[in-house]
Amino acid sequence: SAVISQKPSRDICQRGTSLTIQCQVDSQVTMMFWYRQQPGQSLTLIATANQGSEATYESGFVIDKFPISRPNLTFSTLTVSNMSPEDSSIYLCSVKTGGYNEQFFGPGTRLTVL
Amino acid sequence: GIQVEQSPPDLILQEGANSTLRCNFSDSVNNLQWFHQNPWGQLINLFYIPSGTKQNGRLSATTVATERYSLLYISSSQTTDSGVYFCAVDGSARQLTFGSGTQLTVLP
């Protein structure tokens, strides 16, 4: 398994601003993902964070709105840009460790946009 | 893409009762996982079970890959079992697709 931490754990932001969420893993991992969970809904994949190259975004998510960085094999950031109340969600970082198919999730960042 | 359906959407039990949650999926999978999301939003890994049967204490799971379904059994339920249970599958896209979840409430 992997130990995953996220910062911040929660935040309240004003519309039009941006928030950067950090994800730190205690070991090197090959695959990192970012998910969104809107209130009362299931989890939806935003993008796969690729080390050394641009992230791969799912349909409905764009780099200008959700820029992602992955400078090394243990760290990634997700920025939620130009926020609106519709962006209020839990954002979760997830990893697969090398050689295994099982995915693990961080504790999430609970974002409220006013 | 792959479709994942969970049933029932909501379940209310008295403490001590048993329950079965179901997950149907539309295509062959490389991975199937069950998660419990607690009231604080944390996703807890319950089972990694692309096929076969596993047990962990009061919980067990069975996946019949050829028939494209998985079952999660909870026995002697406790109030701490309350929360949302998610099934998620990894098909050809190599990332997890989540079902809509089962909201479980266990009453004292």
Side-chain angles (χ1 to χ4, degrees):
Chain A
S1 66
V3 178
I4 307 166
S5 60
Q6 286 186 233
K7 290 182 182 179
S9 59
R10 59 176 60 231
D11 208 341
I12 301 173
C13 301
Q14 297 297 318
R15 73 167 65 217
T17 62
S18 298
L19 176 72
T20 295
I21 302 167
Q22 298 179 4
C23 176
Q24 179 75 52
V25 190
D26 69 338
S27 59
Q28 293 186 342
V29 295
T30 52
M31 302 188 77
M32 295 181 76
F33 308 92
W34 286 98
Y35 285 79
R36 181 178 73 180
Q37 186 178 26
Q38 295 177 298
Q41 302 297 311
S42 185
L43 281 77
T44 301
L45 179 65
I46 297 172
T48 302
N50 302 308
Q51 196 265 331
S53 64
E54 276 195 4
T56 304
Y57 289 84
E58 297 300 304
S59 176
F61 297 96
V62 295
I63 188 171
D64 290 346
K65 176 67 176 177
F66 298 101
I68 288 171
S69 77
R70 189 170 175 197
N72 56 52
L73 293 176
T74 65
F75 186 78
S76 178
T77 66
L78 168 75
T79 299
V80 186
S81 303
N82 189 24
M83 288 184 286
S84 67
E86 291 71 34
D87 294 319
S88 298
S89 297
I90 300 174
Y91 292 87
L92 299 104
C93 171
S94 177
V95 304
K96 279 189 188 182
T97 55
Y100 297 93
N101 241 350
E102 189 173 3
Q103 254 180 260
F104 298 89
F105 284 79
T109 296
R110 190 178 295 269
L111 172 62
T112 301
V113 184
L114 303 177
Chain B
I2 197 165
Q3 305 297 313
V4 185
E5 294 183 357
Q6 291 187 242
S7 60
D10 297 279
L11 187 58
I12 300 175
L13 302 173
Q14 288 295 139
E15 200 166 26
N18 303 328
S19 61
T20 301
L21 282 58
R22 187 176 179 103
C23 172
N24 293 332
F25 43 96
S26 61
D27 206 344
S28 59
V29 297
N30 300 304
N31 173 17
L32 186 146
Q33 292 183 238
W34 283 97
F35 297 90
H36 175 214
Q37 188 169 41
N38 63 25
W40 296 272
Q42 174 80 53
L43 272 178
I44 310 297
N45 286 44
L46 297 179
F47 293 103
Y48 166 70
I49 187 167
S51 64
T53 297
K54 291 186 177 180
Q55 179 154 10
N56 184 2
R58 296 181 296 103
L59 273 60
S60 63
T62 295
T63 298
V64 183
T66 53
E67 297 187 21
R68 299 180 182 167
Y69 74 89
S70 183
L71 302 174
L72 177 68
Y73 306 96
I74 304 174
S75 65
S76 303
S77 58
Q78 301 175 357
T79 56
T80 52
D81 294 331
S82 296
V84 183
Y85 289 80
F86 287 107
C87 167
V89 303
D90 173 351
S92 59
R94 308 294 295 174
Q95 64 248 2
L96 285 179
T97 299
F98 280 73
S100 55
T102 293
Q103 173 75 57
L104 175 64
T105 303
V106 181
L107 302 175

